[in-house]
Amino acid sequence: MSADRYSWPTLDELLREESELELAGLSETDAYELGMLAVAAATEQRLPVSVGVWRAGRQLFHCGLPGSTADNDAWLRRKGRVVMRFEHSSLYMARLCQDKQVTLAERFGLPASRYAAAGGALPLRVRGTGVVGWVGISGLPQLDDHRFVVDILRKLPR
């Protein structure tokens, strides 16, 4: 991704990033460890975020850290629905919509009350299987949410 903290990555950069983050598997234990890794990093940085890990339609991990709200939880679920619908990061879909100057509702008929094209949720893609779930946070500006999750996923063994 671009070195500038506030510049948006391109769609190609986001696709490359997603392919680099492929996992060997995603058990319940893996989801817990991923969630705890995110919570530890967010706690250390004193970030007011909600963290979630889902596999298919099942929530395997959730934590709302101090300063986060129910609104963060709602944003998290809306971003996760985007990931599962399109099998790309929520930032990828935000960039796609930005590039085309449309909203998800205009382009795909998806209600904003249930879907959010905003950075912070990434697909959990398992080698040889495809997208099996997603991980995300909500509570920071969307580029920071996205980068936080990418940093956490990069710490996992491949």
Side-chain angles (χ1 to χ4, degrees):
M1 275 207 272
S2 174
D4 180 357
R5 175 174 152 82
Y6 294 103
S7 67
W8 280 64
T10 67
L11 291 174
D12 286 341
E13 288 172 324
L14 290 165
L15 288 176
R16 266 194 312 278
E17 185 176 74
E18 286 179 20
S19 69
E20 293 168 3
L21 298 173
E22 188 175 70
L23 304 173
L26 184 67
S27 68
E28 286 85 353
T29 301
D30 296 332
Y32 174 78
E33 290 172 357
L34 172 58
M36 289 303 295
L37 187 62
V39 167
T43 299
E44 181 179 311
Q45 298 173 53
R46 295 187 174 158
L47 301 177
V49 297
S50 289
V51 177
V53 181
W54 291 69
R55 186 179 62 195
R58 184 173 171 214
Q59 186 174 21
L60 299 179
F61 186 92
H62 177 266
C63 183
L65 293 172
S68 67
T69 67
D71 193 48
N72 298 125
D73 296 339
W75 271 92
L76 185 60
R77 286 188 301 275
R78 291 170 55 219
K79 292 189 274 188
R81 285 185 194 106
V82 166
V83 171
M84 293 310 294
R85 174 76 179 245
F86 297 101
E87 297 192 352
H88 288 294
S89 73
S90 55
L91 186 63
Y92 177 92
M93 294 308 296
R95 178 65 196 243
L96 179 73
C97 289
Q98 180 185 61
D99 288 355
K100 305 238 181 244
Q101 298 183 347
V102 297
T103 65
L104 281 176
E106 292 165 342
R107 175 94 190 244
F108 301 103
L110 299 175
S113 62
R114 295 202 37 89
Y115 294 86
L122 279 92
L124 293 172
R125 189 172 274 113
V126 171
R127 192 171 16 271
T129 303
V131 175
V132 299
W134 61 274
V135 58
I137 71 161
S138 181
L140 306 174
Q142 65 176 320
L143 292 177
D144 293 335
D145 274 353
H146 178 85
R147 289 184 179 120
F148 179 90
V149 176
V150 168
D151 289 345
I152 295 303
L153 287 171
R154 288 193 193 285
K155 293 178 182 177
L156 297 177
R158 300 278 161 241

